[in-house]
Amino acid sequence: MDTYLSLVNSGLTKEIARKLGLPRPAILRRHRPGDPLVPGPVLILGEGPAAGAAADILLGWGLDVRRHAADAERIGAIVLALDALRTPADLSAPALATAEAVRRLTPGGRIAAYLHGAGDDAGDPARAAARSGAEGFLRSLGRELRGGATANGIVLGGETLTAYAPSAVAALRFLLSGRSAYVDGQFVRVDTTAGTLPRNWEHPLEGKVAVVTGAARGIGAAIARTLHRDGATVVAVDVPAAGEALAAVANEVGGTALQLDVTRPDAGQAVLAHARDRHGRLDIMVHNAGITRDKLLANMDESRWNSVLAVNLESQLRMNGAFLDAGLEGLRIVSLASTSGIAGNRGQTNYAASKAGVIGMVGASAAAFAARGGGINAVAPGFIETDMTAAVPLATRSVARLLMPSLMQGGLPVDVAEAVGFLAWDAAAGINGQTLRVCGQSLVGA
Ligand code: NAD
């Protein structure tokens, strides 16, 4: 763990940090199998139809559900039903009720809100204003929470979709849990009622075969471990030069290793043949392999530009084409993007082009994969502590961590892996073509 994070959270140094007024990032609540879903009672606020549905769903999970802030001294999570907003004035009551409750939110607490998308409201500016207003409210609330608590939204796409849609249920489960530790100020959009809930929420990937590229280390290795923990059989892919580390990861997760450069023209066919020959099927494809070759554009050369685009983007396009050509049914794809592809980053014109390209590719591929019962989404990590970001100079790294306004720390590979795992669930089939940021509500990243 980051030394600063452990110092400001233990003993004497914690006291000194408090007296000096130093930023004190919290130790985040991360998923551990067997832990309770939330660290206390869940308070439901707001008048939308999602309030009743959420109560039903949460009681079904055996949680302690309350409808009045006064009923609970400590609150583990707040669920806000903002799905009936008609005018900006409708925001006032739930915002003020949240104000009263938020002081009692426990460390590691969660706020999850249901809302409809403003874009779904052409022709009703007051309703669109209320809906967009709700998003602004939540993003700012996320930045005010302390103790590693987060605030996120579930956008019910279209007017008829309810909180009972399987992917809305799955999103609620993910956002309340320790799996979403580094997801903050984000909106998960559910567009259809597609998806089936798992028999066992601890093993939502039971029986699935998943391929993870770039799995020899870093985020890819964490994804392999997380998918395995959740029940999948994993094929770990990486370049031959990383063969030893790759074999170690594959052994650790009881899967198989495939040495393959993803830029090879037949990479898609090779992945599919391996998964089918060794495990009988392919259900989940995680495009994680990626490289950086940072330079200011003025100093950029052809090899830096082309290699980054080839590994991070073109390989994914080509492999996805091969999967579509092969007529694979029900394939769920998750691609690694980056917040650099959203906000831009100095020295990363090539990398940001590749990662923004992934976001565009995912949106435009959604319909084709959905037509075959599958789906494709992206995860955009912010600053994650790996070998890739260890290459960033120490001073920049330290400043970057502390400037992160909400959680004041970089994320861990497992935080990205949990989001990838969630999007790979069958229950997430109603979420398609989306990009989910895992950035602790910061756009600093690699
Ligand atoms: P990493 O450098 O630690 O690991 C990347 C892995 O990909 C390595 O094992 C490497 O051998 C493999 N790889 C590279 N080229 C390959 C190829 N042609 N074929 C097969 N494998 C190949 O990186 P990481 O930090 O774990 O990042 C993983 C993914 O997450 C990347 O796509 C990266 O762009 C993205 N990401 C990382 C961060 C971060 O902060 N670390 C932030 C945003 C996005």
Side-chain angles (χ1 to χ4, degrees), residues 174-206:
F174 171 71
L175 292 175
L176 292 183
S177 76
R179 295 175 193 264
S180 62
Y182 202 60
V183 177
D184 199 6
Q186 303 307 305
F187 296 87
V188 177
R189 185 180 167 95
V190 179
D191 273 312
T192 71
T193 55
T196 34
L197 298 180
R199 272 183 307 155
N200 179 349
W201 285 105
E202 288 282 328
H203 299 290
L205 299 176
E206 197 107 66

PDB file of all heavy atoms in Angstrom, residues 174-206:
ATOM      1  N   PHE A 174     -23.620  -3.879  -7.402  1.00  0.00           N
ATOM      2  CA  PHE A 174     -22.224  -3.484  -7.608  1.00  0.00           C
ATOM      3  C   PHE A 174     -21.914  -2.170  -6.885  1.00  0.00           C
ATOM      4  O   PHE A 174     -20.909  -2.050  -6.177  1.00  0.00           O
ATOM      5  CB  PHE A 174     -21.958  -3.348  -9.113  1.00  0.00           C
ATOM      6  CG  PHE A 174     -20.626  -2.746  -9.460  1.00  0.00           C
ATOM      7  CD1 PHE A 174     -19.449  -3.459  -9.248  1.00  0.00           C
ATOM      8  CD2 PHE A 174     -20.535  -1.465  -9.992  1.00  0.00           C
ATOM      9  CE1 PHE A 174     -18.208  -2.904  -9.562  1.00  0.00           C
ATOM     10  CE2 PHE A 174     -19.302  -0.902 -10.306  1.00  0.00           C
ATOM     11  CZ  PHE A 174     -18.140  -1.628 -10.092  1.00  0.00           C
ATOM     12  N   LEU A 175     -22.796  -1.179  -7.058  1.00  0.00           N
ATOM     13  CA  LEU A 175     -22.501   0.148  -6.496  1.00  0.00           C
ATOM     14  C   LEU A 175     -22.565   0.171  -4.975  1.00  0.00           C
ATOM     15  O   LEU A 175     -21.867   0.951  -4.337  1.00  0.00           O
ATOM     16  CB  LEU A 175     -23.454   1.194  -7.090  1.00  0.00           C
ATOM     17  CG  LEU A 175     -23.239   1.476  -8.582  1.00  0.00           C
ATOM     18  CD1 LEU A 175     -24.308   2.424  -9.114  1.00  0.00           C
ATOM     19  CD2 LEU A 175     -21.839   2.056  -8.842  1.00  0.00           C
ATOM     20  N   LEU A 176     -23.392  -0.684  -4.368  1.00  0.00           N
ATOM     21  CA  LEU A 176     -23.441  -0.721  -2.898  1.00  0.00           C
ATOM     22  C   LEU A 176     -22.258  -1.489  -2.320  1.00  0.00           C
ATOM     23  O   LEU A 176     -21.837  -1.248  -1.184  1.00  0.00           O
ATOM     24  CB  LEU A 176     -24.740  -1.379  -2.416  1.00  0.00           C
ATOM     25  CG  LEU A 176     -26.052  -0.630  -2.673  1.00  0.00           C
ATOM     26  CD1 LEU A 176     -27.224  -1.389  -2.060  1.00  0.00           C
ATOM     27  CD2 LEU A 176     -26.012   0.794  -2.116  1.00  0.00           C
ATOM     28  N   SER A 177     -21.711  -2.398  -3.098  1.00  0.00           N
ATOM     29  CA  SER A 177     -20.716  -3.342  -2.569  1.00  0.00           C
ATOM     30  C   SER A 177     -19.318  -2.747  -2.513  1.00  0.00           C
ATOM     31  O   SER A 177     -19.057  -1.660  -3.040  1.00  0.00           O
ATOM     32  CB  SER A 177     -20.677  -4.583  -3.471  1.00  0.00           C
ATOM     33  OG  SER A 177     -19.971  -4.280  -4.671  1.00  0.00           O
ATOM     34  N   GLY A 178     -18.408  -3.501  -1.920  1.00  0.00           N
ATOM     35  CA  GLY A 178     -17.000  -3.123  -1.884  1.00  0.00           C
ATOM     36  C   GLY A 178     -16.340  -3.262  -3.250  1.00  0.00           C
ATOM     37  O   GLY A 178     -15.205  -2.831  -3.437  1.00  0.00           O
ATOM     38  N   ARG A 179     -17.040  -3.863  -4.211  1.00  0.00           N
ATOM     39  CA  ARG A 179     -16.471  -4.016  -5.556  1.00  0.00           C
ATOM     40  C   ARG A 179     -16.317  -2.668  -6.263  1.00  0.00           C
ATOM     41  O   ARG A 179     -15.567  -2.553  -7.219  1.00  0.00           O
ATOM     42  CB  ARG A 179     -17.384  -4.903  -6.415  1.00  0.00           C
ATOM     43  CG  ARG A 179     -17.503  -6.329  -5.945  1.00  0.00           C
ATOM     44  CD  ARG A 179     -18.523  -7.060  -6.810  1.00  0.00           C
ATOM     45  NE  ARG A 179     -18.917  -8.329  -6.247  1.00  0.00           N
ATOM     46  CZ  ARG A 179     -18.392  -9.510  -6.581  1.00  0.00           C
ATOM     47  NH1 ARG A 179     -17.442  -9.556  -7.467  1.00  0.00           N
ATOM     48  NH2 ARG A 179     -18.814 -10.620  -6.016  1.00  0.00           N
ATOM     49  N   SER A 180     -17.088  -1.672  -5.824  1.00  0.00           N
ATOM     50  CA  SER A 180     -17.067  -0.375  -6.525  1.00  0.00           C
ATOM     51  C   SER A 180     -16.249   0.656  -5.754  1.00  0.00           C
ATOM     52  O   SER A 180     -16.478   1.858  -5.901  1.00  0.00           O
ATOM     53  CB  SER A 180     -18.503   0.132  -6.709  1.00  0.00           C
ATOM     54  OG  SER A 180     -19.109   0.331  -5.438  1.00  0.00           O
ATOM     55  N   ALA A 181     -15.266   0.195  -4.958  1.00  0.00           N
ATOM     56  CA  ALA A 181     -14.537   1.095  -4.044  1.00  0.00           C
ATOM     57  C   ALA A 181     -14.001   2.364  -4.708  1.00  0.00           C
ATOM     58  O   ALA A 181     -14.010   3.427  -4.106  1.00  0.00           O
ATOM     59  CB  ALA A 181     -13.378   0.323  -3.405  1.00  0.00           C
ATOM     60  N   TYR A 182     -13.520   2.257  -5.952  1.00  0.00           N
ATOM     61  CA  TYR A 182     -12.855   3.406  -6.598  1.00  0.00           C
ATOM     62  C   TYR A 182     -13.722   4.009  -7.717  1.00  0.00           C
ATOM     63  O   TYR A 182     -13.264   4.779  -8.525  1.00  0.00           O
ATOM     64  CB  TYR A 182     -11.482   2.961  -7.132  1.00  0.00           C
ATOM     65  CG  TYR A 182     -10.491   4.072  -7.327  1.00  0.00           C
ATOM     66  CD1 TYR A 182     -10.086   4.877  -6.260  1.00  0.00           C
ATOM     67  CD2 TYR A 182      -9.941   4.334  -8.582  1.00  0.00           C
ATOM     68  CE1 TYR A 182      -9.175   5.906  -6.442  1.00  0.00           C
ATOM     69  CE2 TYR A 182      -9.019   5.366  -8.775  1.00  0.00           C
ATOM     70  CZ  TYR A 182      -8.642   6.142  -7.697  1.00  0.00           C
ATOM     71  OH  TYR A 182      -7.738   7.172  -7.874  1.00  0.00           O
ATOM     72  N   VAL A 183     -15.006   3.602  -7.732  1.00  0.00           N
ATOM     73  CA  VAL A 183     -15.959   4.162  -8.706  1.00  0.00           C
ATOM     74  C   VAL A 183     -16.721   5.263  -7.981  1.00  0.00           C
ATOM     75  O   VAL A 183     -17.402   5.003  -6.993  1.00  0.00           O
ATOM     76  CB  VAL A 183     -16.950   3.075  -9.192  1.00  0.00           C
ATOM     77  CG1 VAL A 183     -17.976   3.674 -10.151  1.00  0.00           C
ATOM     78  CG2 VAL A 183     -16.194   1.922  -9.841  1.00  0.00           C
ATOM     79  N   ASP A 184     -16.595   6.491  -8.431  1.00  0.00           N
ATOM     80  CA  ASP A 184     -17.199   7.606  -7.705  1.00  0.00           C
ATOM     81  C   ASP A 184     -17.680   8.668  -8.693  1.00  0.00           C
ATOM     82  O   ASP A 184     -16.967   9.001  -9.636  1.00  0.00           O
ATOM     83  CB  ASP A 184     -16.150   8.201  -6.747  1.00  0.00           C
ATOM     84  CG  ASP A 184     -16.784   9.034  -5.642  1.00  0.00           C
ATOM     85  OD1 ASP A 184     -18.028   9.059  -5.535  1.00  0.00           O
ATOM     86  OD2 ASP A 184     -16.023   9.658  -4.875  1.00  0.00           O
ATOM     87  N   GLY A 185     -18.904   9.175  -8.462  1.00  0.00           N
ATOM     88  CA  GLY A 185     -19.447  10.227  -9.332  1.00  0.00           C
ATOM     89  C   GLY A 185     -19.795   9.716 -10.721  1.00  0.00           C
ATOM     90  O   GLY A 185     -19.814  10.493 -11.675  1.00  0.00           O
ATOM     91  N   GLN A 186     -20.090   8.427 -10.832  1.00  0.00           N
ATOM     92  CA  GLN A 186     -20.360   7.841 -12.149  1.00  0.00           C
ATOM     93  C   GLN A 186     -21.826   7.464 -12.311  1.00  0.00           C
ATOM     94  O   GLN A 186     -22.550   7.300 -11.325  1.00  0.00           O
ATOM     95  CB  GLN A 186     -19.492   6.591 -12.366  1.00  0.00           C
ATOM     96  CG  GLN A 186     -18.011   6.876 -12.235  1.00  0.00           C
ATOM     97  CD  GLN A 186     -17.571   8.017 -13.133  1.00  0.00           C
ATOM     98  OE1 GLN A 186     -17.792   7.994 -14.338  1.00  0.00           O
ATOM     99  NE2 GLN A 186     -16.968   9.042 -12.543  1.00  0.00           N
ATOM    100  N   PHE A 187     -22.232   7.292 -13.577  1.00  0.00           N
ATOM    101  CA  PHE A 187     -23.624   6.936 -13.885  1.00  0.00           C
ATOM    102  C   PHE A 187     -23.611   5.688 -14.762  1.00  0.00           C
ATOM    103  O   PHE A 187     -23.024   5.697 -15.831  1.00  0.00           O
ATOM    104  CB  PHE A 187     -24.321   8.110 -14.578  1.00  0.00           C
ATOM    105  CG  PHE A 187     -24.410   9.294 -13.657  1.00  0.00           C
ATOM    106  CD1 PHE A 187     -23.371  10.212 -13.581  1.00  0.00           C
ATOM    107  CD2 PHE A 187     -25.489   9.432 -12.807  1.00  0.00           C
ATOM    108  CE1 PHE A 187     -23.417  11.270 -12.680  1.00  0.00           C
ATOM    109  CE2 PHE A 187     -25.549  10.494 -11.909  1.00  0.00           C
ATOM    110  CZ  PHE A 187     -24.519  11.410 -11.840  1.00  0.00           C
ATOM    111  N   VAL A 188     -24.205   4.634 -14.253  1.00  0.00           N
ATOM    112  CA  VAL A 188     -24.284   3.387 -15.021  1.00  0.00           C
ATOM    113  C   VAL A 188     -25.621   3.404 -15.746  1.00  0.00           C
ATOM    114  O   VAL A 188     -26.678   3.464 -15.114  1.00  0.00           O
ATOM    115  CB  VAL A 188     -24.217   2.161 -14.083  1.00  0.00           C
ATOM    116  CG1 VAL A 188     -24.365   0.871 -14.877  1.00  0.00           C
ATOM    117  CG2 VAL A 188     -22.915   2.171 -13.287  1.00  0.00           C
ATOM    118  N   ARG A 189     -25.567   3.367 -17.064  1.00  0.00           N
ATOM    119  CA  ARG A 189     -26.812   3.470 -17.839  1.00  0.00           C
ATOM    120  C   ARG A 189     -27.314   2.084 -18.253  1.00  0.00           C
ATOM    121  O   ARG A 189     -26.579   1.296 -18.842  1.00  0.00           O
ATOM    122  CB  ARG A 189     -26.576   4.335 -19.072  1.00  0.00           C
ATOM    123  CG  ARG A 189     -27.842   4.577 -19.855  1.00  0.00           C
ATOM    124  CD  ARG A 189     -27.610   5.432 -21.096  1.00  0.00           C
ATOM    125  NE  ARG A 189     -28.785   5.358 -21.937  1.00  0.00           N
ATOM    126  CZ  ARG A 189     -29.788   6.243 -21.921  1.00  0.00           C
ATOM    127  NH1 ARG A 189     -29.721   7.291 -21.129  1.00  0.00           N
ATOM    128  NH2 ARG A 189     -30.839   6.091 -22.682  1.00  0.00           N
ATOM    129  N   VAL A 190     -28.574   1.819 -17.919  1.00  0.00           N
ATOM    130  CA  VAL A 190     -29.207   0.547 -18.283  1.00  0.00           C
ATOM    131  C   VAL A 190     -30.240   0.858 -19.364  1.00  0.00           C
ATOM    132  O   VAL A 190     -31.104   1.708 -19.175  1.00  0.00           O
ATOM    133  CB  VAL A 190     -29.915  -0.076 -17.055  1.00  0.00           C
ATOM    134  CG1 VAL A 190     -30.597  -1.377 -17.439  1.00  0.00           C
ATOM    135  CG2 VAL A 190     -28.919  -0.295 -15.919  1.00  0.00           C
ATOM    136  N   ASP A 191     -30.137   0.169 -20.500  1.00  0.00           N
ATOM    137  CA  ASP A 191     -31.021   0.503 -21.617  1.00  0.00           C
ATOM    138  C   ASP A 191     -32.118  -0.509 -21.880  1.00  0.00           C
ATOM    139  O   ASP A 191     -33.127  -0.170 -22.479  1.00  0.00           O
ATOM    140  CB  ASP A 191     -30.202   0.689 -22.902  1.00  0.00           C
ATOM    141  CG  ASP A 191     -29.699   2.109 -23.028  1.00  0.00           C
ATOM    142  OD1 ASP A 191     -30.505   3.031 -22.838  1.00  0.00           O
ATOM    143  OD2 ASP A 191     -28.488   2.286 -23.279  1.00  0.00           O
ATOM    144  N   THR A 192     -31.897  -1.760 -21.468  1.00  0.00           N
ATOM    145  CA  THR A 192     -32.897  -2.785 -21.788  1.00  0.00           C
ATOM    146  C   THR A 192     -33.116  -3.703 -20.579  1.00  0.00           C
ATOM    147  O   THR A 192     -32.372  -3.655 -19.601  1.00  0.00           O
ATOM    148  CB  THR A 192     -32.440  -3.674 -22.963  1.00  0.00           C
ATOM    149  OG1 THR A 192     -31.362  -4.509 -22.509  1.00  0.00           O
ATOM    150  CG2 THR A 192     -31.994  -2.857 -24.162  1.00  0.00           C
ATOM    151  N   THR A 193     -34.132  -4.553 -20.704  1.00  0.00           N
ATOM    152  CA  THR A 193     -34.412  -5.508 -19.627  1.00  0.00           C
ATOM    153  C   THR A 193     -33.630  -6.807 -19.832  1.00  0.00           C
ATOM    154  O   THR A 193     -33.907  -7.803 -19.167  1.00  0.00           O
ATOM    155  CB  THR A 193     -35.915  -5.837 -19.570  1.00  0.00           C
ATOM    156  OG1 THR A 193     -36.302  -6.300 -20.868  1.00  0.00           O
ATOM    157  CG2 THR A 193     -36.737  -4.626 -19.197  1.00  0.00           C
ATOM    158  N   ALA A 194     -32.651  -6.807 -20.748  1.00  0.00           N
ATOM    159  CA  ALA A 194     -31.848  -8.021 -20.981  1.00  0.00           C
ATOM    160  C   ALA A 194     -31.075  -8.390 -19.717  1.00  0.00           C
ATOM    161  O   ALA A 194     -30.796  -7.533 -18.882  1.00  0.00           O
ATOM    162  CB  ALA A 194     -30.883  -7.787 -22.136  1.00  0.00           C
ATOM    163  N   GLY A 195     -30.715  -9.663 -19.612  1.00  0.00           N
ATOM    164  CA  GLY A 195     -29.853 -10.100 -18.508  1.00  0.00           C
ATOM    165  C   GLY A 195     -30.557 -11.037 -17.550  1.00  0.00           C
ATOM    166  O   GLY A 195     -31.778 -10.952 -17.366  1.00  0.00           O
ATOM    167  N   THR A 196     -29.771 -11.945 -16.973  1.00  0.00           N
ATOM    168  CA  THR A 196     -30.330 -12.843 -15.949  1.00  0.00           C
ATOM    169  C   THR A 196     -29.489 -12.700 -14.686  1.00  0.00           C
ATOM    170  O   THR A 196     -28.260 -12.599 -14.756  1.00  0.00           O
ATOM    171  CB  THR A 196     -30.272 -14.321 -16.397  1.00  0.00           C
ATOM    172  OG1 THR A 196     -29.101 -14.507 -17.180  1.00  0.00           O
ATOM    173  CG2 THR A 196     -31.480 -14.728 -17.195  1.00  0.00           C
ATOM    174  N   LEU A 197     -30.167 -12.704 -13.546  1.00  0.00           N
ATOM    175  CA  LEU A 197     -29.453 -12.548 -12.273  1.00  0.00           C
ATOM    176  C   LEU A 197     -28.744 -13.856 -11.933  1.00  0.00           C
ATOM    177  O   LEU A 197     -29.227 -14.939 -12.276  1.00  0.00           O
ATOM    178  CB  LEU A 197     -30.442 -12.178 -11.169  1.00  0.00           C
ATOM    179  CG  LEU A 197     -31.177 -10.851 -11.395  1.00  0.00           C
ATOM    180  CD1 LEU A 197     -32.145 -10.564 -10.246  1.00  0.00           C
ATOM    181  CD2 LEU A 197     -30.189  -9.694 -11.524  1.00  0.00           C
ATOM    182  N   PRO A 198     -27.590 -13.765 -11.274  1.00  0.00           N
ATOM    183  CA  PRO A 198     -26.853 -14.991 -10.929  1.00  0.00           C
ATOM    184  C   PRO A 198     -27.570 -15.779  -9.830  1.00  0.00           C
ATOM    185  O   PRO A 198     -28.301 -15.200  -9.034  1.00  0.00           O
ATOM    186  CB  PRO A 198     -25.515 -14.457 -10.420  1.00  0.00           C
ATOM    187  CG  PRO A 198     -25.810 -13.089  -9.943  1.00  0.00           C
ATOM    188  CD  PRO A 198     -26.929 -12.556 -10.772  1.00  0.00           C
ATOM    189  N   ARG A 199     -27.320 -17.086  -9.802  1.00  0.00           N
ATOM    190  CA  ARG A 199     -27.888 -17.895  -8.715  1.00  0.00           C
ATOM    191  C   ARG A 199     -27.203 -17.530  -7.399  1.00  0.00           C
ATOM    192  O   ARG A 199     -27.798 -17.540  -6.342  1.00  0.00           O
ATOM    193  CB  ARG A 199     -27.671 -19.382  -9.007  1.00  0.00           C
ATOM    194  CG  ARG A 199     -28.809 -19.980  -9.837  1.00  0.00           C
ATOM    195  CD  ARG A 199     -28.574 -21.453 -10.035  1.00  0.00           C
ATOM    196  NE  ARG A 199     -27.232 -21.661 -10.582  1.00  0.00           N
ATOM    197  CZ  ARG A 199     -26.523 -22.761 -10.444  1.00  0.00           C
ATOM    198  NH1 ARG A 199     -27.005 -23.780  -9.787  1.00  0.00           N
ATOM    199  NH2 ARG A 199     -25.322 -22.869 -10.971  1.00  0.00           N
ATOM    200  N   ASN A 200     -25.913 -17.214  -7.518  1.00  0.00           N
ATOM    201  CA  ASN A 200     -25.131 -16.901  -6.323  1.00  0.00           C
ATOM    202  C   ASN A 200     -24.325 -15.625  -6.593  1.00  0.00           C
ATOM    203  O   ASN A 200     -23.441 -15.615  -7.446  1.00  0.00           O
ATOM    204  CB  ASN A 200     -24.206 -18.091  -6.034  1.00  0.00           C
ATOM    205  CG  ASN A 200     -23.323 -17.856  -4.825  1.00  0.00           C
ATOM    206  OD1 ASN A 200     -23.239 -16.733  -4.306  1.00  0.00           O
ATOM    207  ND2 ASN A 200     -22.652 -18.906  -4.377  1.00  0.00           N
ATOM    208  N   TRP A 201     -24.618 -14.552  -5.848  1.00  0.00           N
ATOM    209  CA  TRP A 201     -23.948 -13.265  -6.084  1.00  0.00           C
ATOM    210  C   TRP A 201     -22.454 -13.323  -5.763  1.00  0.00           C
ATOM    211  O   TRP A 201     -21.697 -12.448  -6.174  1.00  0.00           O
ATOM    212  CB  TRP A 201     -24.598 -12.161  -5.253  1.00  0.00           C
ATOM    213  CG  TRP A 201     -25.929 -11.696  -5.777  1.00  0.00           C
ATOM    214  CD1 TRP A 201     -27.149 -11.984  -5.256  1.00  0.00           C
ATOM    215  CD2 TRP A 201     -26.170 -10.867  -6.922  1.00  0.00           C
ATOM    216  NE1 TRP A 201     -28.139 -11.381  -5.995  1.00  0.00           N
ATOM    217  CE2 TRP A 201     -27.569 -10.682  -7.025  1.00  0.00           C
ATOM    218  CE3 TRP A 201     -25.345 -10.241  -7.865  1.00  0.00           C
ATOM    219  CZ2 TRP A 201     -28.152  -9.911  -8.026  1.00  0.00           C
ATOM    220  CZ3 TRP A 201     -25.937  -9.469  -8.862  1.00  0.00           C
ATOM    221  CH2 TRP A 201     -27.310  -9.316  -8.941  1.00  0.00           C
ATOM    222  N   GLU A 202     -22.032 -14.303  -4.993  1.00  0.00           N
ATOM    223  CA  GLU A 202     -20.587 -14.417  -4.696  1.00  0.00           C
ATOM    224  C   GLU A 202     -19.840 -15.031  -5.889  1.00  0.00           C
ATOM    225  O   GLU A 202     -18.632 -14.878  -6.005  1.00  0.00           O
ATOM    226  CB  GLU A 202     -20.353 -15.283  -3.455  1.00  0.00           C
ATOM    227  CG  GLU A 202     -20.751 -14.612  -2.135  1.00  0.00           C
ATOM    228  CD  GLU A 202     -19.729 -13.592  -1.628  1.00  0.00           C
ATOM    229  OE1 GLU A 202     -18.516 -13.763  -1.858  1.00  0.00           O
ATOM    230  OE2 GLU A 202     -20.153 -12.597  -0.995  1.00  0.00           O
ATOM    231  N   HIS A 203     -20.577 -15.757  -6.761  1.00  0.00           N
ATOM    232  CA  HIS A 203     -19.939 -16.397  -7.925  1.00  0.00           C
ATOM    233  C   HIS A 203     -20.715 -16.084  -9.197  1.00  0.00           C
ATOM    234  O   HIS A 203     -21.213 -16.987  -9.867  1.00  0.00           O
ATOM    235  CB  HIS A 203     -19.848 -17.914  -7.723  1.00  0.00           C
ATOM    236  CG  HIS A 203     -19.025 -18.295  -6.546  1.00  0.00           C
ATOM    237  ND1 HIS A 203     -17.656 -18.132  -6.511  1.00  0.00           N
ATOM    238  CD2 HIS A 203     -19.375 -18.781  -5.336  1.00  0.00           C
ATOM    239  CE1 HIS A 203     -17.195 -18.519  -5.327  1.00  0.00           C
ATOM    240  NE2 HIS A 203     -18.226 -18.905  -4.593  1.00  0.00           N
ATOM    241  N   PRO A 204     -20.793 -14.802  -9.549  1.00  0.00           N
ATOM    242  CA  PRO A 204     -21.642 -14.418 -10.694  1.00  0.00           C
ATOM    243  C   PRO A 204     -21.112 -14.895 -12.043  1.00  0.00           C
ATOM    244  O   PRO A 204     -21.820 -14.774 -13.041  1.00  0.00           O
ATOM    245  CB  PRO A 204     -21.659 -12.884 -10.624  1.00  0.00           C
ATOM    246  CG  PRO A 204     -20.456 -12.514  -9.826  1.00  0.00           C
ATOM    247  CD  PRO A 204     -20.172 -13.636  -8.890  1.00  0.00           C
ATOM    248  N   LEU A 205     -19.881 -15.437 -12.082  1.00  0.00           N
ATOM    249  CA  LEU A 205     -19.324 -15.871 -13.371  1.00  0.00           C
ATOM    250  C   LEU A 205     -19.173 -17.388 -13.449  1.00  0.00           C
ATOM    251  O   LEU A 205     -18.426 -17.904 -14.291  1.00  0.00           O
ATOM    252  CB  LEU A 205     -17.966 -15.186 -13.606  1.00  0.00           C
ATOM    253  CG  LEU A 205     -18.015 -13.653 -13.675  1.00  0.00           C
ATOM    254  CD1 LEU A 205     -16.614 -13.075 -13.819  1.00  0.00           C
ATOM    255  CD2 LEU A 205     -18.903 -13.181 -14.821  1.00  0.00           C
ATOM    256  N   GLU A 206     -19.897 -18.077 -12.586  1.00  0.00           N
ATOM    257  CA  GLU A 206     -19.862 -19.548 -12.551  1.00  0.00           C
ATOM    258  C   GLU A 206     -20.045 -20.150 -13.944  1.00  0.00           C
ATOM    259  O   GLU A 206     -20.974 -19.762 -14.669  1.00  0.00           O
ATOM    260  CB  GLU A 206     -21.023 -20.017 -11.672  1.00  0.00           C
ATOM    261  CG  GLU A 206     -20.916 -21.430 -11.200  1.00  0.00           C
ATOM    262  CD  GLU A 206     -20.561 -21.451  -9.725  1.00  0.00           C
ATOM    263  OE1 GLU A 206     -21.404 -21.004  -8.930  1.00  0.00           O
ATOM    264  OE2 GLU A 206     -19.439 -21.894  -9.419  1.00  0.00           O
TER     265      GLU A 206
END
